[in-house]
Amino acid sequence: MGEVELSCRAYVKMYLHACLFPRCSINGLLLSSSSAGGAVCVTDCVPLLHSHLPLAPITQLALTQVDVWCSQTQQRIVGYYQANACVSDSSPTPCALKIADKIAEQFNNAVLLMIDGGKMSPDYRVPPIVMYERKDSRWTLKDKHTIMLRQWEETRAIASQMLESGDHMLLVDFDSHLDDITKDWTNQKLNNKIAELASPANGNV
Amino acid sequence: MASVSELYDVGWEEMRDKLRKWREDNCRNSEQIVDVGEELISEHGSKLGDDIWIIYEQVMIAALDCSRDDLALTCLQELRKQFPDSHRVKRLSGMRLEALERYDEANKHYDAILQDDPTNTAARKRKISILKAQGKSAEAIRELNEYLEQFVGDQEAWHELSELYINEHDYGKAAFCLEELMMTNPHNHLYCEQYAEVKYTQGGLENLELSRKYFAQALRLNNRNMRALFGLYMLAGRGTKENKCSVKAVEEMLESMQITMS
């Protein structure tokens, strides 16, 4: 029931992932580099799939690889995000609940984030996300007031700007990595671009 | 904004040939098609001859995909003028209505086509697409099954059905569809690999055995299929550990391929 903070980098990458594959359901993992306890700070995300989300092998593979990378980089998997292909329905699918359950086994305060495609157009001023938390073994809607996005206006501006300039084409998700193994699913290039665009005052990126 | 021909230093013939390639490969790179096609039509329309009609169709569909209703309407109007009674153009009108989410009107268009010509597969498939867009998966699946009873050889339909079943977590039926596809396309490594993934997801000793076989088959057909390679490694490292993916096996494999994250 704690607070959750979403960093600029995590939000922008999720947003660009959804924009890169507008006709597919997409999903990914939410990571944190902060220590456990207190608010959950989602500092980064790893885009995973844009096809066959319910199928097991690639998801398992991705979870394993991200786990290994996290332990090497002092991060942990703290959540899962998904955007459904059908824009009118932003409720978590059975596979989303399953993966989120798995993450919750390792991290008590795991979050499940659904991107609401219907609210992604430029005229919407609020973050197009819906968050769920685990209460009594069920995923329930999180109170909006416990979700924080620092410098939201700036984050929104960065996301729009990167979309306009076609930077979403640089994003690599795990699926793309499997199509071309040389592509970097940690998206270091994109991370650097986001950091450049964010103001120096925003220490949370 | 610089034109496509300026940006990429291409002439109109290259643009036309590129559009043809994308048509033949059935690519859905709609933003590119719109950029190239729009310029080709407006600047060089007169040079295209009869090709212009198929280009109008291609650009129109791409424009709908990019929410460019202005461009889509322009193309549609030209096609309507040239082919006033065509079912093919009527289907495009229907698709435009779909893009505007006017599904009832779109359905009327397709029903009209089917009354005239009950064997028109395109109209039937559009109706199924509407069900899918409306989130009515169960009905879409039912209609698609009926369609396939009549048109057993329609690969695209079998694949679409397998995707719908996967999203409904009905892996047994998804496997059946993929089996149909593998029978008619024995050299297609992607079908083998997808089948293996479905079997893996179903779980249980028999299915995992099948999964391993089909990952291996996919790899034999295309030794660069990474998903098949990873799948095979994950199953090879199993032994008696039923549901745990062998981290060690994957790590060893990655090392042997010398893939680094940095």
Side-chain angles (χ1 to χ4, degrees):
Chain A
M1 266 213 277
E3 293 193 329
V4 176
E5 207 182 298
L6 199 55
S7 76
C8 176
R9 177 195 282 187
Y11 176 81
V12 171
K13 287 206 292 198
M14 270 196 314
Y15 180 86
L16 293 180
H17 191 204
C19 293
L20 184 55
F21 301 106
R23 298 134 196 157
C24 313
S25 290
I26 51 122
N27 66 6
L29 299 172
L30 301 172
L31 310 178
S32 173
S33 54
S34 319
S35 52
V40 175
C41 293
V42 178
T43 48
D44 201 353
C45 73
V46 175
L48 289 185
L49 308 175
H50 56 265
S51 66
H52 298 146
L53 270 60
L55 292 182
I58 305 302
T59 304
Q60 276 184 11
L61 176 69
L63 277 167
T64 309
Q65 284 207 29
V66 174
D67 227 354
V68 168
W69 181 63
C70 279
S71 56
Q72 293 168 345
T73 52
Q74 284 83 49
Q75 295 182 85
R76 49 192 313 182
I77 301 177
V78 297
Y80 169 85
Y81 74 84
Q82 183 170 305
N84 293 333
C86 193
V87 160
S88 53
D89 176 19
S90 63
S91 52
T93 57
C95 95
L97 297 171
K98 229 174 164 190
I99 300 176
D101 277 341
K102 247 200 149 52
I103 295 174
E105 275 171 28
Q106 306 287 329
F107 182 72
N108 276 335
N109 295 325
V111 289
L112 167 56
L113 193 158
M114 296 299 295
I115 299 179
D116 189 346
K119 300 201 168 78
M120 275 178 75
S121 53
D123 22 314
Y124 272 95
R125 316 296 290 197
V126 293
I129 61 180
V130 183
M131 264 202 213
Y132 297 79
E133 61 187 354
R134 207 163 159 73
K135 256 198 259 186
D136 306 321
S137 321
R138 299 186 68 216
W139 289 94
T140 49
L141 224 48
K142 218 169 149 52
D143 178 6
K144 273 192 230 160
H145 299 104
T146 56
I147 306 169
M148 285 202 296
L149 280 99
R150 282 186 215 257
Q151 269 107 359
W152 162 240
E153 283 304 324
E154 194 191 355
T155 301
R156 198 170 68 86
I158 292 175
S160 303
Q161 189 182 336
M162 292 185 84
L163 180 59
E164 282 286 320
S165 47
D167 285 335
H168 57 301
M169 308 290 278
L170 295 173
L171 186 125
V172 176
D173 67 359
F174 208 79
D175 251 342
S176 316
H177 167 71
L178 289 175
D179 291 334
D180 177 356
I181 206 89
T182 60
K183 287 191 175 166
D184 168 29
W185 52 260
T186 67
N187 288 291
Q188 294 306 333
K189 271 207 197 124
L190 215 56
N191 286 345
N192 293 337
K193 271 210 161 181
I194 297 172
E196 269 173 48
L197 290 172
S199 73
N202 184 3
N204 253 348
V205 170
Chain B
M1 233 190 91
S3 68
V4 170
S5 48
E6 281 168 26
L7 269 174
Y8 300 100
D9 194 20
V10 287
W12 70 270
E13 294 103 330
E14 281 136 308
M15 289 165 76
R16 176 200 59 194
D17 293 341
K18 212 42 188 210
L19 282 177
R20 181 188 9 224
K21 181 165 191 306
W22 289 332
R23 253 191 333 266
E24 284 167 10
D25 293 342
N26 210 6
C27 302
R28 196 175 172 173
N29 52 335
S30 303
E31 287 92 351
Q32 278 183 305
I33 294 176
V34 162
D35 281 341
V36 175
E38 190 173 20
E39 194 176 306
L40 194 61
I41 294 171
S42 53
E43 315 270 315
H44 310 282
S46 46
K47 303 186 195 112
L48 293 168
D50 272 336
D51 270 351
I52 197 166
W53 307 114
I54 200 156
I55 290 177
Y56 270 132
E57 182 184 41
Q58 182 182 12
V59 174
M60 191 222 154
I61 295 175
L64 289 179
D65 219 7
C66 300
S67 295
R68 283 284 313 271
D69 192 45
D70 54 323
L71 179 57
L73 199 51
T74 312
C75 296
L76 186 57
Q77 281 163 343
E78 291 299 315
L79 287 166
R80 275 182 186 149
K81 266 194 287 189
Q82 182 71 7
F83 306 101
D85 294 314
S86 157
H87 278 163
R88 189 160 160 177
V89 176
K90 208 173 173 74
R91 170 196 153 218
L92 292 176
S93 298
M95 283 177 82
R96 178 175 165 265
L97 291 168
E98 282 185 63
L100 297 169
E101 294 183 271
R102 284 150 63 175
Y103 296 123
D104 292 331
E105 291 176 59
N107 265 320
K108 286 210 186 89
H109 266 72
Y110 300 135
D111 288 333
I113 297 177
L114 287 169
Q115 246 197 349
D116 234 13
D117 174 13
T119 66
N120 191 306
T121 57
R124 275 183 84 162
K125 289 204 257 194
R126 286 323 308 164
K127 285 180 67 91
I128 294 170
S129 300
I130 290 179
L131 290 171
K132 196 175 161 197
Q134 292 174 313
K136 299 178 179 165
S137 326
E139 287 178 54
I141 287 176
R142 198 181 51 228
E143 292 291 325
L144 197 42
N145 267 299
E146 273 182 40
Y147 171 87
L148 279 165
E149 275 172 37
Q150 253 193 289
F151 301 98
V152 171
D154 191 331
Q155 316 274 310
E156 182 187 60
W158 279 111
H159 199 247
E160 183 64 43
L161 188 56
S162 78
E163 301 265 335
L164 287 173
Y165 277 131
I166 287 173
N167 283 326
E168 294 299 300
H169 305 276
D170 198 339
Y171 302 119
K173 301 217 178 87
F176 179 84
C177 299
L178 287 164
E179 281 162 13
E180 284 287 330
L181 286 166
M182 287 194 294
M183 268 201 303
T184 44
N185 304 273
H187 300 294
N188 186 318
H189 64 105
L190 294 172
Y191 293 150
C192 284
E193 177 252 299
Q194 278 177 31
Y195 182 74
E197 284 193 51
V198 170
K199 284 290 150 191
Y200 186 111
T201 310
Q202 281 181 293
L205 277 172
E206 249 185 65
N207 287 324
L208 292 179
E209 189 55 50
L210 270 172
S211 176
R212 190 198 336 256
K213 284 203 179 113
Y214 279 91
F215 275 133
Q217 175 67 355
L219 216 44
R220 196 182 309 144
L221 292 170
N222 178 349
N223 62 5
R224 307 184 112 205
N225 186 324
M226 289 306 300
R227 289 179 180 80
L229 185 56
F230 274 113
L232 196 57
Y233 263 89
M234 282 161 69
L235 287 169
R238 254 157 203 266
T240 51
K241 290 200 188 123
E242 258 280 16
N243 282 316
K244 278 181 81 178
C245 153
S246 175
V247 181
K248 195 156 186 301
V250 173
E251 282 179 345
E252 280 169 11
M253 191 210 76
L254 288 175
E255 244 190 75
S256 67
M257 293 178 74
Q258 287 168 331
I259 296 165
T260 52
M261 283 301 132
S262 55

